[in-house]
Each structure stands twice: as C-alpha cells, then as structure tokens.
Amino acid sequence: MTQFPEISRIEYEGPDSKNDLAFKWYNPDEVIEGKSMKDHLRFSIVYWHTMRGTGGDPFGPGTAVRPWDDGSESVDNALKRVEVAFEIFEKLQAPYYAFHDRDVAPEGSSLKQSHANFDRIAESLAEHQQKTGVKLLWGTCNLFSNPRFMHGAATSCNVDVFAFAAAQVKKCLEVTKSLGGENYVFWGGREGYQSLYNTDMKRELDHLAGFFHMAVDYAKEIGFDGQFLIEPKPKEPTKHQYDSDAAACLNFLRAYDLLPHFKLNLETNHATLAGHTMMHELDYAGHQGALGSIDANTGDLLLGWDTDQFPTNLYDTAQCMLMILKHGGLGSGGVNFDAKVRRESFEPIDLFHAHVGGMDAFARGLKIAAAIRADGRMEEVVKTRYSSWDGELGQKIEAGNASFAELESYMLEKGEIAPNASGRQEMLENIFNDYL
Ligand code: XUL
Ligand code: CO
C-alpha cells in the first residue's frame, strides 16, 4: 500500500526542469572524477527527523501532519512507520538510511522488552531492505532521551547507567550487524557537563574510553566489521560536550589508544556551533586520516543553535565536496541528511521537497568542486604559496633534519628574509565564484 500515491519516484530531469519534485542536478549515474554521483554522495535519510520529527519546539507542541502515525509508542505503529519510511527512501532514490534504536522501536517497560521490540522491528527493517535494496548507513543508540541518562551515559556518575548504556549499545551493535550496517556512530548525547563544580572530568573521560574499548572488543567478538564513528558536537544538550570538535575527538582517541578503531562523522551545524567552518572540520579530520562520514545539514548563524536545517547553500556544499574530494572520498560513509523540515512545513510532501533540495545542493556542490579541481588554478596558488619550502632548507626542515642553531646561522648570514608574497584571498574567492 502506498502512502503517497500522488508522488512517483523522483527522477533526474536536468537544470531546465520546472518540476519541483525532480532532480535538477542529482543524476545518480553521471560520472565525475571517475566515479558515479551515487557513489560519491552515498545519500542517506535519517529516521529520527524524517519519521519521528513532530515539529515541536520549546514554545509549542508538534505541528507535523503524519496520517500514517497514530502517535502511539506501540510496535504496530512502529511497523507502520517502517513501511512508510521505505516508501520515502525508495521514492527519493536514497541508497541509505540511518537510525537510533529508539527511533525505530519503542522502548519497553524493561530492557528485556526493549530488546524484544527492537528485534521485532529489525525483522521488518531487514525485509524492507531486502525488498527495496535500500541499505543501512549506520545504526546508533539513543543514550540521551530517557531521564535515566540525565547525567550522561558512559560518563554518568551512576555506574548502573553506564551498565545500561553498555547493554543498549551491545544490542544495537548486534542489530546493526544483522542489517548489514556499514558504520556505527557514537554521538555523545549527554557525555559532557553543566558544571565542573560537580564533575570529575578525568574520571568521566576514563569511563568513556573504557566504554569505547568494550565496544571495539564486542564488535570484534561478533564479527561486526563496520566503521566506528564519533560525531563531534561542542554543546547542546550539555554546556560542554566532551567530543567538542574534530581535534578534541582525535586527541581523546589518541590519548586512550582508540585511534585505529575510529573515524569521525562530521556535521555542519555542529562545526559551526564549535566556531569552525565545516571545511575546517573536514580538512582537519581528512589530513589525520579520520574522515568517515558527514551529517549534512546547516544551522542558522542568526539563531546560533542546532537547528538542523536542510542544506541548500551552494557555497557550503561546494566547500564540503572540495574537501571530501581532496581527502579521497567518504569511504564507507555517506552524505547523511541529519536535517528536519521547519515547524511551519508540516505537510508530508515537505519531506520530499526538503530531501530533493538537499540532494540537488550536494550534487551541484560536487560538480562545482570537481570543476574547480579540474581548473587547477586554486590548487596552483596554494602550491606556489608554499614553494619556498620546496627548496633545500625547507626540505631539510620538513624531513626533521634541521636544528635551531643551524637556522640561526642561516639567518645571521642571510640577514633578512626573502620578500613575502600576497595571499591572494580575494582572487581565490573570485575563482571560486567563477564556478558557482
Ligand atoms: C544530535 C545529532 C544526532 C546524531 C546521532 O545533534 O546530530 O542526531 O547524529 O545521534
Ligand atoms: Co548528527
């Protein structure tokens, strides 16, 4: 049974199309830099916003009209949602989806009941994956909504909460594996603090590391070979989230011998909350070999909160794709729309408009980035800018074979530096605009 009889599969019609429900830029089989758009972008739809978002905000309840959803936390209702979800995924030609355990299956009155509910829904997810060919990009656990997680999960001051979270992740790893999930994400929902007056930060970080080591061990034990990803975010819900940005995550992973087991899932709105651009986060993770996947969305710089809007800004998507191409692609990751329609966009069809727009913005960003790379002028400027380092002295320093004493005698003899050259920022911004 179809929930959207009036919407047929979204197809590529090209930039001149006036059809609101067609792709103007996302042409899945079009080859760019030797790879199809579909394989570059690996689009994914999130269950939590698309199937569970209500449009509620701190000032009022949900507005979303979802005729298929009776609003109950029943297994039957959850099963109904699965059907509708896969119709949406298929019609949007999204090859992947992502979920939290509690988005797809209702939490029961006991952990045992919750596990059973999750198993029942997983069966249906497996059937629908089989039938439609849509695959699971990643699974994750909701370790932040239930009041038991008020002090965090793996960083809670209450050891029982740590154990409960471990049991939930264990189960979710099993389900993610059974559904062929290609990654598993840890977003530190409430892993952080509101006040250092009541917080033993060192102890909490030690616990978090221990938790991740157990997850690595359990994945090995059950043969889950998906990629583990940490999703940085600096604040919200806590004042300070431990996984605050790419650099903080990588330092934590390195300090606790976890680096070989994790990459990062970078989210645009989280980057900007951290006071970075997404480009910065992608480049930082990329040069550390830790670029795993992206949560594609955008914030609103005037609101300054995690508004999770659909990405439509071509500068942002082109910049993202420039960095993703530079660092060799997303591997087993994807472009995952961790984005929600606005409270005012309450009709089901808005879910389609939103994703079509996001997919087109990323497809166009990919094309722009590839054209900039093919042109080569921007890269050339960067190469020239550092060319002094290609000489004998620069090479010696870069190889780690120079000393302060040697550099002092070099400079004493030379007397003054070779003249600096312009950074050409405006020229580079103009070149970028040539391709927009
Ligand atoms: C929260 C967020 C999460 C993660 C998954 O800001 O981005 O939805 O992506 O837990
Ligand atoms: Co996210």
Side-chain angles (χ1 to χ4, degrees):
M1 214 194 78
T2 164
Q3 190 58 228
F4 311 102
E6 74 290 3
I7 300 173
S8 43
R9 199 172 95 129
I10 311 294
E11 300 289 352
Y12 173 70
E13 292 184 4
D16 294 332
S17 167
K18 295 281 178 271
N19 179 357
D20 292 326
L21 289 176
F23 296 122
K24 319 280 192 309
W25 300 93
Y26 181 53
N27 185 10
D29 296 323
E30 186 175 332
V31 173
I32 292 180
E33 293 197 10
K35 207 158 86 174
S36 70
M37 275 195 171
K38 185 174 175 205
D39 290 343
H40 273 290
L41 295 164
R42 297 165 57 84
F43 284 128
S44 163
I45 295 180
V46 306
Y47 216 93
W48 52 100
H49 289 313
T50 297
M51 301 314 297
R52 306 307 309 274
T54 62
D57 71 11
F59 303 93
T63 54
V65 172
R66 304 289 182 253
W68 58 87
D69 195 315
D70 66 18
S72 74
E73 281 295 330
S74 69
V75 169
D76 279 349
N77 196 27
L79 288 168
K80 190 80 198 296
R81 282 190 208 109
V82 174
E83 222 178 287
V84 179
F86 277 80
E87 186 181 348
I88 295 175
F89 304 158
E90 235 192 333
K91 287 196 162 160
L92 281 164
Q93 293 203 51
Y96 289 97
Y97 74 111
F99 64 67
H100 298 84
D101 49 359
R102 302 301 184 241
D103 311 328
V104 288
E107 179 149 18
S109 51
S110 65
L111 182 61
K112 205 169 159 191
Q113 185 62 54
S114 299
H115 280 2
N117 290 350
F118 198 12
D119 280 336
R120 174 66 194 96
I121 304 301
E123 254 173 54
S124 173
L125 292 169
E127 276 165 30
H128 283 80
Q129 286 186 205
Q130 184 73 26
K131 209 162 63 194
T132 60
V134 175
K135 294 183 281 187
L136 179 61
L137 186 67
W138 48 264
T140 190
C141 272
N142 181 329
L143 303 175
F144 43 89
S145 293
N146 189 293
R148 76 173 64 85
F149 298 118
M150 65 172 70
H151 299 297
T155 64
S156 173
C157 47
N158 180 345
V159 66
D160 277 359
V161 175
F162 184 101
F164 199 102
Q168 224 179 297
V169 172
K170 175 179 177 290
K171 181 72 190 171
C172 196
L173 281 171
E174 291 160 9
V175 171
T176 301
K177 176 184 152 55
S178 77
L179 294 172
E182 297 185 23
N183 307 269
Y184 185 89
V185 165
F186 294 89
W187 167 58
R190 291 182 193 274
E191 313 293 26
Y193 59 81
Q194 300 292 1
S195 168
L196 277 179
Y197 291 165
N198 66 9
T199 301
D200 186 337
M201 175 152 54
K202 166 79 168 64
R203 209 165 175 186
E204 293 200 359
L205 287 170
D206 287 350
H207 295 165
L208 185 59
F211 192 87
F212 285 148
H213 274 292
M214 283 189 243
V216 168
D217 290 346
Y218 192 64
K220 210 175 287 169
E221 195 182 320
I222 63 172
F224 172 65
D225 55 11
Q227 175 67 52
F228 274 172
L229 300 169
I230 292 195
E231 182 175 322
K233 183 175 184 182
K235 56 189 170 190
E236 196 206 71
T238 70
K239 168 201 180 87
H240 178 95
Q241 298 273 132
Y242 290 132
D243 300 330
S244 52
D245 65 3
C249 287
L250 290 167
N251 179 60
F252 168 83
L253 292 169
R254 195 170 273 118
Y256 287 99
D257 292 326
L258 285 160
L259 201 52
H261 309 291
F262 286 81
K263 288 187 177 180
L264 302 180
N265 179 40
L266 299 167
E267 176 166 328
T268 315
N269 205 162
H270 297 177
T272 47
L273 285 177
H276 305 308
T277 60
M278 181 62 161
M279 229 183 155
H280 168 91
E281 289 291 82
L282 288 165
D283 206 18
Y284 198 95
H287 72 242
Q288 300 272 324
L291 173 52
S293 195
I294 68 166
D295 270 8
N297 62 16
T298 188
D300 184 323
L301 294 180
L302 295 182
L303 293 178
W305 209 236
D306 196 14
T307 56
D308 282 347
Q309 287 163 237
F310 275 84
T312 52
N313 183 321
L314 298 180
Y315 280 102
D316 287 346
T317 59
Q319 288 172 358
C320 271
M321 292 316 300
L322 207 51
M323 282 301 155
I324 289 168
L325 292 176
K326 172 179 169 184
H327 293 294
L330 290 170
S332 66
V335 174
N336 179 54
F337 289 110
D338 190 355
K340 57 187 177 199
V341 288
R342 298 303 85 194
R343 189 168 190 266
E344 301 81 358
S345 309
F346 59 89
E347 294 175 2
I349 199 171
D350 291 307
L351 295 170
F352 287 89
H353 290 303
H355 285 93
V356 168
M359 290 164 87
D360 260 352
F362 262 88
R364 207 163 162 188
L366 168 61
K367 294 191 90 161
I368 294 166
I372 289 172
R373 280 158 59 83
D375 170 311
R377 271 185 295 163
M378 291 187 78
E379 207 183 329
E380 198 50 45
V381 173
V382 179
K383 229 165 108 194
T384 309
R385 187 159 182 248
Y386 291 87
S387 58
S388 72
W389 285 88
D390 300 334
E392 201 184 324
L393 179 66
Q395 287 303 289
K396 198 168 176 194
I397 299 172
E398 284 191 351
N401 296 328
S403 68
F404 268 13
E406 199 181 338
L407 295 176
E408 184 190 42
S409 36
Y410 165 80
M411 227 45 252
L412 283 172
E413 193 181 320
K414 192 163 182 181
E416 192 42 87
I417 59 154
N420 274 313
S422 163
R424 295 271 185 271
Q425 181 176 328
E426 295 76 7
M427 185 186 90
L428 291 165
E429 286 164 351
N430 297 347
I431 296 178
F432 200 101
N433 275 354
D434 284 347
Y435 288 92
L436 217 66

